[in-house]
Each structure stands twice: as structure tokens, then as C-alpha cells.
Amino acid sequence: MPSENQHLEFKEAKKQFDSRKLYRYCVALANEGGGFLVLGIADKPPRPVVGSNAFPNTVATASKIFTAVGFRVEVIEVNHPDGRVVVLQIPSRPKGTAYHYDGAYLMRSGEELIPMSEDQLRKIFAEGQPSWLEQVALQGLSAQDVVQFLDTQSFFELLNQPYPTEQSGVLERLLAERLVQQSDTGYAILNIGALLLAKSLHTFEGVGRKAARVVVYSGESKMDTLSDLTGGKGYAVGFRGLVQYVMGRLPQNEVIEDAIRKEVKLVPEVVIRELLANALIHQDFELTGTSPMVEVYADRVEISNPGEPIVPVDRFIDGYQSRNERLA
């Protein structure tokens, strides 16, 4: 592997490796989806095999790990030409469960092992329950109500599909995409359906507060606000308009290119589009009273969203764990 990642950790451990540290790494890796802890390989590039004398009895080591942390870890000895390598294959934690050692629910952050935040633990313990996106936003609706509240016309246009000639065809597609559900009391629009397709997010209590907000300042600080606007449409049907609105508020610079004077925006549209999409998708919907925000200053643009990253900051480059896949 070219580098360590969320599921792979190298340690030299030429002579020995502290047992308590081993147990803590097993817990941290299991909490992050499982992976491998490899002893006997340098943890700095180019990571040659250096050999390890740690844990000579792999069977006894596996037994001790199970006693200490409460789950089974495979301990494998590999006789490499450049030295003995010990590979610990660590399983992922069960859904809705976080492992701890000595009362600490651990995760990795670079070279360190740190306690998981309350935000992350709450998310793990809620895994067995429907996510915020799967909860009902509005229920007891007729088919006509659903079409009235959701921009179904734009929905089919975005899918590059013809609009059904009958209302039942529209509802069938929304049900198939799990944006709407049906019960004895009629139709219910789920949070994800409202968030993506609402003609007005404020129709849905609890969803309206997730609307993106754009604040424009006249200078390089928050001292003087020129405009403060909160979006009203669902993310999917209103995304193009959001990008265009932000681009229209960006400062312009004059540049000379091929002897022609041109007006150039502070940030290219492709960058704004990418960052806005990520901010909307990767927010933590369990947090209330806060929403994605764009702040435009005279010299910069700041885009933020609610929640802490689920990938440690120093693993942004090689971390692939994402949030809200279905929304994306």
C-alpha cells in the first residue's frame, strides 16, 4: 500500500509492542470499520520490512486480546525474507455498537488515539434507528398534496425522463425512489424527499431550518452586511439557482489576457459548485438550529456546514468514509 489509511496501520515494533497500546489500537480500528495493524514494518516511507519480535506466541496473544477488548482478533505471523511480520486482522464493530477499552471509546487521529466525540457516539448508537433523512416530514397527504408540495416536474427533468401522463406514474416513481411512502392514512413525504424536491422548504417543519443561507459582506469582516438570504427550494431543484446566486455576489477582478481586459470572478464556478454540493451533502442532519452557510467577503468565500467531519482532518486526503450516501 502506498500509505496508511483508515483501515491500515504500520508499526515497527522491532523488539516489542506495549500490550495496552495494542488493545487500544484494536478498539480504535474496530470503531472505524475494522482493518489491519501490521507490526514489523517501518511506519515512515518507503516503509521497509524491519522485522518484529513482538508477541512470539500468536495464539496466546489472540486470547489475551479477546479477554481485554471482548471481540476476536486474528493474529497472523508472516515469515518475510526481510524479517518476521505480525498482522492483526481486526473486525468492524457491529452496527449500532461502539467498542471501548477501560471506558474510553477510541478512534485514530493521525498518530494519536483519541476518544470519540459525543456527536460520533450518538450517531453510532442511533444506527439501528431510521436516520433523519428517512423520517417523515409530512403525512396524511393525498396524491394531489404530494404533487403540490414537491417540484415533481423538475425531478423528472433532472432525471432526463419524460413527465408521466398520469399522476399515478409520478407517485410510483417517488415511492420507488423512497422519497415518499404510502400507508392506510394516505401518503407521507420523507425528510429526504422534502429536502431534495420541496417547492418551499418552509412548508415542512424541521426541514425548513436546513435551507442554505448566503450572507454577503461589504469588506473583509462581518462588520457591514450587504445582504442575508435563506434559500427556499429543495436542494436538488434549487441547486442551480443557488450556484448562480452565489456567483452573482462574488467580487470581480480585472485581468489582461491576450491584450484583452476581462472581468474574472474571485472563485471559478466549478469550485463553487463542488464546494456547495459537498457542504449540502456532508452536513450532520441530526444537529438542529443550524444549516449550510455561504459567507462572501471582499477577498474570500467561506462555506460551512453543521457537524464534525467523520474522517479525521489529517486523513482528508486518503479517507473515503462519506456521509449521507443516498442524498448524494
Side-chain angles (χ1 to χ4, degrees):
M1 296 294 291
S3 68
E4 293 177 313
N5 56 43
Q6 262 183 296
H7 307 289
L8 179 64
E9 186 82 34
F10 298 123
K11 295 294 178 187
E12 284 193 0
K14 289 183 180 179
K15 295 181 180 179
Q16 60 185 10
F17 193 73
D18 182 70
S19 293
R20 281 179 55 84
K21 193 173 183 180
L22 176 72
Y23 304 150
R24 287 167 62 85
Y25 265 105
C26 288
V27 166
L29 278 162
N31 281 338
E32 295 181 68
F36 298 88
L37 174 62
V38 186
L39 309 180
I41 295 181
D43 55 4
K44 304 295 182 192
R47 298 187 177 84
V49 173
V50 296
S52 173
N53 293 321
F55 309 115
N57 188 334
T58 56
V59 175
T61 300
S63 177
K64 289 177 181 177
I65 293 173
F66 181 80
T67 301
V69 301
F71 58 89
R72 181 180 175 82
V73 172
E74 293 287 341
V75 184
I76 305 161
E77 184 177 85
V78 180
N79 292 312
H80 188 276
D82 295 334
R84 174 179 176 267
V85 174
V86 179
V87 180
L88 292 97
Q89 185 174 347
I90 300 158
S92 175
R93 59 174 178 78
K95 189 174 183 179
T97 302
Y99 288 134
H100 65 87
Y101 179 67
D102 281 349
Y105 294 91
L106 298 168
M107 60 176 282
R108 292 179 304 158
S109 178
E111 295 293 317
E112 302 297 322
L113 298 178
I114 62 173
M116 301 180 85
S117 68
E118 290 183 12
D119 192 30
Q120 289 166 311
L121 283 173
R122 189 164 55 246
K123 196 173 187 71
I124 289 173
F125 296 145
E127 282 175 347
Q129 306 167 13
S131 69
W132 183 89
L133 290 169
E134 307 298 327
Q135 293 171 14
V136 172
L138 207 58
Q139 58 187 345
L141 304 175
S142 66
Q144 182 59 39
D145 291 333
V146 173
V147 175
Q148 180 182 337
F149 291 139
L150 300 183
D151 189 347
T152 55
Q153 188 78 43
S154 294
F155 175 54
F156 281 90
E157 287 175 3
L158 289 168
L159 293 175
N160 292 318
Q161 293 185 358
Y163 195 77
T165 54
E166 296 184 2
Q167 197 176 73
S168 59
V170 176
L171 270 297
E172 282 176 13
R173 187 57 192 261
L174 293 173
L175 289 166
E177 295 287 349
R178 292 184 294 140
L179 304 176
V180 170
Q181 66 184 24
Q182 191 174 14
S183 67
D184 295 338
T185 58
Y187 292 97
I189 298 174
L190 303 183
N191 282 343
I192 187 171
L195 197 68
L196 289 171
L197 304 178
K199 290 179 180 177
S200 173
L201 287 169
H202 303 290
T203 303
F204 304 91
E205 186 179 357
V207 177
R209 292 191 293 272
K210 305 299 181 183
R213 181 181 170 199
V214 182
V215 184
V216 182
Y217 304 101
S218 62
E220 298 177 8
S221 71
K222 300 179 188 285
M223 293 292 290
D224 189 12
T225 302
L226 291 178
S227 63
D228 186 344
L229 185 72
T230 301
K233 291 184 178 181
Y235 290 175
V237 297
F239 184 68
R240 186 180 291 115
L242 175 62
V243 173
Q244 290 174 350
Y245 180 80
V246 173
M247 290 303 298
R249 299 301 180 275
L250 291 184
Q252 296 186 136
N253 296 319
E254 283 192 352
V255 298
I256 306 297
E257 188 174 295
D258 297 330
I260 303 296
R261 188 187 304 273
K262 297 174 65 176
E263 296 284 345
V264 177
K265 291 291 186 181
L266 178 67
V267 182
E269 182 175 333
V270 64
V271 175
I272 292 295
R273 188 173 66 242
E274 181 73 13
L275 293 177
L276 283 175
N278 276 278
L280 295 176
I281 290 166
H282 297 296
Q283 63 182 296
D284 184 350
F285 288 105
E286 302 294 338
L287 295 181
T288 58
T290 182
S291 65
M293 189 166 184
V294 182
E295 295 176 288
V296 181
Y297 298 86
D299 62 339
R300 69 192 186 281
V301 184
E302 294 183 5
I303 299 175
S304 57
N305 66 1
E308 295 183 8
I310 55 175
V311 176
V313 174
D314 52 6
R315 289 194 180 269
F316 273 5
I317 292 174
D318 61 5
Y320 297 104
Q321 190 174 359
S322 59
R323 181 184 264 152
N324 306 318
E325 279 291 338
R326 204 159 82 79
L327 179 71

